[in-house]
Amino acid sequence: MNDMDYMRRAVELARRGRTSPNPMVGAVIVRDGAVIAEGWHERCGALHAERHALAHCTEDPAGATMYVTLEPCCHQGRQPPCTDAILEAGIRRVVIGSDDPNPLVAGKGISILRAHGVEVVTGVCREECDALNTIFFHYIRTKRPYVLMKYAMTLDGKIATRTGASQWITGEEARRRVHADRDRYTAIMAGVGTVLADDPLLTCRLPDGHNPIRIICDSHLRTPLDSQLVRTARETPTILAACRPDPQKAAALAAQGCAVWELPERDGHVDLTALMDRLGQNEIDSVLLEGGGTLNGAMLEAGLVQRVQAYIAPKIFGGAAQSPVRGTGVALPAQAWRLKNCTVTPVGEDFLLEGEVESDVHRTC
């Protein structure tokens, strides 16, 4: 086995963690061609991958090589610096996948190790290691959550029939995949229009799945007290984002377990940028946006969406269009929001088209 083989094993280990808002990290320790320890960051507040691996060594790690998917930390956070543990263990060589953009680290961990005589190799399987922490990298740089906008539509671009019926456009396999994302993302967000139309639960239906924090953009606090969201707010954290909420309604919702956030107003609605800032301040690092066309359009126009998932069913509804993205829209095709690094994946009878939103596109609507 070579450096890339051991690093790919570290990537596999990293995926086991549920670490939000921390990064996912895996580590493998090798001595004389044999793996003597493996570790990963299991959850926020638990041992980092390097210390987890060192705690499980089957023999003395002095003189060994450590493979770690992310640059070791060198500052005191919820855990002490991993660079200290590496040096104390006598690790001779450290192979790193991703550089850490956290300003508290950002090359300092590498410099400390090299200053103490440790051989450091960087950039091994960088693309695979970077892919582990797309969410963390965005969050640590912007202090805002990474937003994945998801919607399902027919081949003719409809998200509902002429009567407003939308369940179900896609098949069971596509819906299972959506629940896997609900399990993976810290929060899920929808607009009050979705609440009024569908009375959703916005929970994860997978066995042993984790329910995301529910965020409802409800500028005028119209969420019904008898809605499923409110009735289950004590079991699943629920945030209602409003501007100038009615005190009595806010008190009644709070009494049911909802958190009512008062936020600045923009164009008669909640200022979405202010909402993202506050979510980031509360260590909510990722949001699965399952909004209707109005909220989706507003989030795009505010530049707050990083990735789009469009589930496309091989069906045609016909009739007047109910677009998955509304708002003002662009005036010319050249002004469109563009996606990069796109993929198309068959999911049962449906297709998933997804890609990253280009952030450097200039447009004048």
Side-chain angles (χ1 to χ4, degrees), residues 164 166-167 182 188-203 214-233 238-241 249 253 258 289-295:
S166 60
Q167 297 181 349
R182 289 186 180 185
I188 185 170
M189 187 164 82
V192 68
T194 298
V195 176
L196 295 173
D198 300 334
D199 191 22
L201 268 172
L202 300 179
T203 53
R214 302 178 299 197
I215 304 160
I216 305 302
C217 292
D218 187 1
S219 299
H220 308 296
L221 220 53
R222 294 187 293 152
T223 297
L225 289 170
D226 62 351
S227 64
Q228 292 194 93
L229 290 172
V230 175
R231 294 203 311 269
T232 58
T238 303
I239 298 168
L240 303 177
K249 181 69 177 289
L253 289 163
C258 297
L289 175 59
E290 293 195 21
T294 300
L295 180 57

Side-chain angles (χ1 to χ4, degrees), residues 266-316:
R266 178 175 291 185
D267 299 326
H269 299 282
V270 164
D271 184 326
L272 294 172
T273 300
L275 173 58
M276 291 299 113
D277 286 339
R278 185 158 175 185
L279 291 173
Q281 291 162 11
N282 281 267
E283 294 193 333
I284 295 174
D285 63 347
S286 61
V287 170
L288 178 60
L289 175 59
E290 293 195 21
T294 300
L295 180 57
N296 288 346
M299 287 288 287
L300 270 175
E301 289 174 359
L304 298 171
V305 177
Q306 281 66 57
R307 190 172 184 84
V308 175
Q309 285 185 341
Y311 287 88
I312 304 170
K315 302 174 182 177
I316 295 174

Side-chain angles (χ1 to χ4, degrees), residues 64-87:
T65 295
M66 174 181 284
Y67 296 85
V68 60
T69 56
L70 184 67
E71 177 182 359
C73 67
C74 54
H75 66 287
Q76 177 68 50
R78 292 182 175 93
Q79 290 288 328
C82 288
T83 48
D84 288 357
I86 291 169
L87 295 172

Side-chain angles (χ1 to χ4, degrees), residues 30 35 110 115 149 155 163 169 195 235 240 244 249 287 290 300 308 312 328 337:
V30 178
V35 174
I110 293 170
M149 184 173 78
L155 204 56
T163 64
I169 291 174
V195 176
E235 292 78 45
L240 303 177
R244 291 183 294 180
K249 181 69 177 289
V287 170
E290 293 195 21
L300 270 175
V308 175
I312 304 170
T328 304
W337 287 274

Side-chain angles (χ1 to χ4, degrees), residues 151-155 169-171 173-174 177 309-315 343-354:
Y151 55 83
M153 68 180 188
T154 60
L155 204 56
I169 291 174
T170 53
E173 289 187 43
R177 183 160 180 153
Q309 285 185 341
Y311 287 88
I312 304 170
K315 302 174 182 177
T343 60
V344 179
T345 307
V347 184
E349 295 182 349
D350 308 306
F351 296 89
L352 171 61
L353 191 156
E354 58 184 326

